[in-house]
Amino acid sequence: MSFDVRLRINDKVASIELKGELDASTAGRFHDVIDEAAQLGAIELVIRAENLTYLASAGLRSLVVARQKMGDEVRIAVVGAAEPVARTIRLAGFDHSIDLVDA
Amino acid sequence: MAFDSVSASEGGVRAVSGPAGRVRSEACVRYEPEWPPLTVATATAITVPAELAELDRVAEFVLRLGGQAGLADSALYRLRLAADELATNIVMHGYRDIPGGRVSVAGGIEADRVWVRFVDDAPAFDPRQGMRAPDRDMPLEQREIGGLGVYLAFTSVDTFDYELVAGRNVSTLTMRRSSAAGVQDSAPAQEQRRRTP
């Protein structure tokens, strides 16, 4: 199972592109990139999930960490999540704190 | 790997029976030709080290099994999610600080359901007891996120059963094959809440 994560920063907007399967064995890499975005002072975090094919609870924990590190004032959006991925985010109740866009 | 047999090289198969059956004993039981056949289709199993790096093999096993059963994409995703969360729980919590642990994963296809059964030798623990439904009113940054994985597993399949058999943890997930026709996402959780005290 493959997983790839890429970070781009533009005008304090951090864009993280996820590709493949995000589970307990790969979440550490996502975690590291979130750390990097927080340290760079991002004021908005956009997670591109169009190519994220699988999301386990370990990935959800990374979203909690993102919220903890970046604070309430930072908007976090997950964009383009496929239905099963969006379902997992909603089932966990994370859609109250994270914007699900085009999902 | 064919699903009409279990290779001896995959070894360590300790629990192979229909969902209504029970794990036979603590002694290692091999899948042999004289074993009573399942009513329909197939049974198979793998044994993997209790390591995160092995989650892929568990996922591949479950996806292949569910694919052979003809589960719809949504049901197949949910079965894989439940199995993945359960396997992760065994590795991260069951065998925490216990090196060298192993997890046996058996699966079968019957006329009306697909089942996946995990057997491990970690300290006795019903994973369902660690389940915690998310507190949607709590700000995300203040959430207790322990137990979320088991909650996802619990709400993703039609049944999630646990037994302690001869000192081993035996957890069985089942998904109705009728799910291939597309059930409401909330149906499994609602049914399970009724079935579990």
Side-chain angles (χ1 to χ4, degrees):
Chain A
M1 310 291 179
S2 64
F3 176 73
D4 191 33
V5 53
R6 295 172 189 272
L7 170 66
R8 291 192 183 88
I9 295 265
N10 186 13
D11 289 337
K12 296 274 186 182
V13 175
S15 177
I16 296 176
E17 183 178 354
L18 302 176
K19 185 176 183 180
E21 305 200 336
L22 181 52
D23 63 9
S25 66
T26 57
R29 293 163 60 193
F30 182 34
H31 208 110
D32 291 344
V33 170
I34 288 172
D35 272 347
E36 188 177 346
Q39 288 170 7
L40 291 171
I43 58 170
E44 182 173 354
L45 175 60
V46 178
I47 297 169
R48 309 287 312 194
E50 292 94 337
N51 295 310
L52 183 65
T53 55
Y54 177 73
L55 174 65
S57 64
L60 293 174
R61 287 191 184 86
S62 298
L63 295 178
V64 174
V65 170
R67 175 54 77 203
Q68 290 171 338
K69 286 184 178 293
M70 305 187 107
D72 290 343
E73 68 280 7
V74 172
R75 175 180 182 253
I76 300 177
V78 175
V79 179
E83 186 278 333
V85 170
R87 171 190 174 273
T88 302
I89 292 171
R90 291 191 183 102
L91 194 57
F94 283 24
D95 52 322
H96 290 199
S97 300
I98 290 172
D99 292 337
L100 275 174
V101 181
D102 296 336
Chain B
M1 179 176 62
F3 269 76
D4 55 358
S5 66
V6 173
S7 165
S9 64
E10 302 252 355
V13 181
R14 296 192 176 93
V16 179
S17 68
R22 298 173 71 88
V23 176
R24 287 194 157 185
S25 70
E26 188 171 358
C28 181
V29 177
R30 295 284 179 180
Y31 191 77
E32 297 171 344
E34 60 270 26
W35 188 273
L38 293 171
T39 305
V40 174
T42 59
T44 188
I46 59 171
T47 297
V48 298
E51 299 169 4
L52 290 181
E54 299 293 332
L55 292 177
D56 282 357
R57 288 185 62 196
V58 175
E60 288 167 2
F61 175 87
V62 173
L63 289 171
R64 197 176 303 178
L65 181 75
Q68 286 208 334
L71 293 181
D73 289 347
S74 171
L76 185 57
Y77 186 99
R78 287 187 280 120
L79 180 61
R80 182 264 177 100
L81 176 63
D84 184 37
E85 296 292 352
L86 186 51
T88 300
N89 201 57
I90 293 168
V91 172
M92 300 285 286
H93 302 294
Y95 281 117
R96 179 190 296 172
D97 302 326
I98 304 175
R102 297 181 73 78
V103 183
S104 294
V105 190
I109 304 168
E110 298 193 350
D112 61 342
R113 75 194 70 187
V114 183
W115 55 271
V116 179
R117 177 172 295 148
F118 289 81
V119 181
D120 69 76
D121 292 306
F125 181 68
D126 181 348
R128 298 171 305 180
Q129 292 182 4
M131 181 178 67
R132 181 178 297 180
D135 183 348
R136 295 169 186 275
D137 297 327
M138 182 75 73
L140 194 58
E141 61 274 20
Q142 297 174 25
R143 292 274 187 94
E144 294 282 346
I145 51 177
L148 180 58
V150 178
Y151 174 79
L152 293 180
F154 190 77
T155 53
S156 292
V157 291
D158 290 312
T159 66
F160 181 156
D161 297 311
Y162 170 84
E163 293 178 286
L164 183 65
V165 181
R168 289 197 165 99
N169 297 296
V170 181
S171 297
T172 305
L173 309 171
T174 66
M175 185 72 86
R176 286 192 301 270
R177 294 182 73 187
S178 58
S179 295
V183 296
Q184 294 298 315
D185 281 343
S186 58
Q190 291 172 354
E191 175 180 324
Q192 190 65 29
R193 275 193 283 272
R194 287 196 297 271
R195 295 181 69 250
T196 303

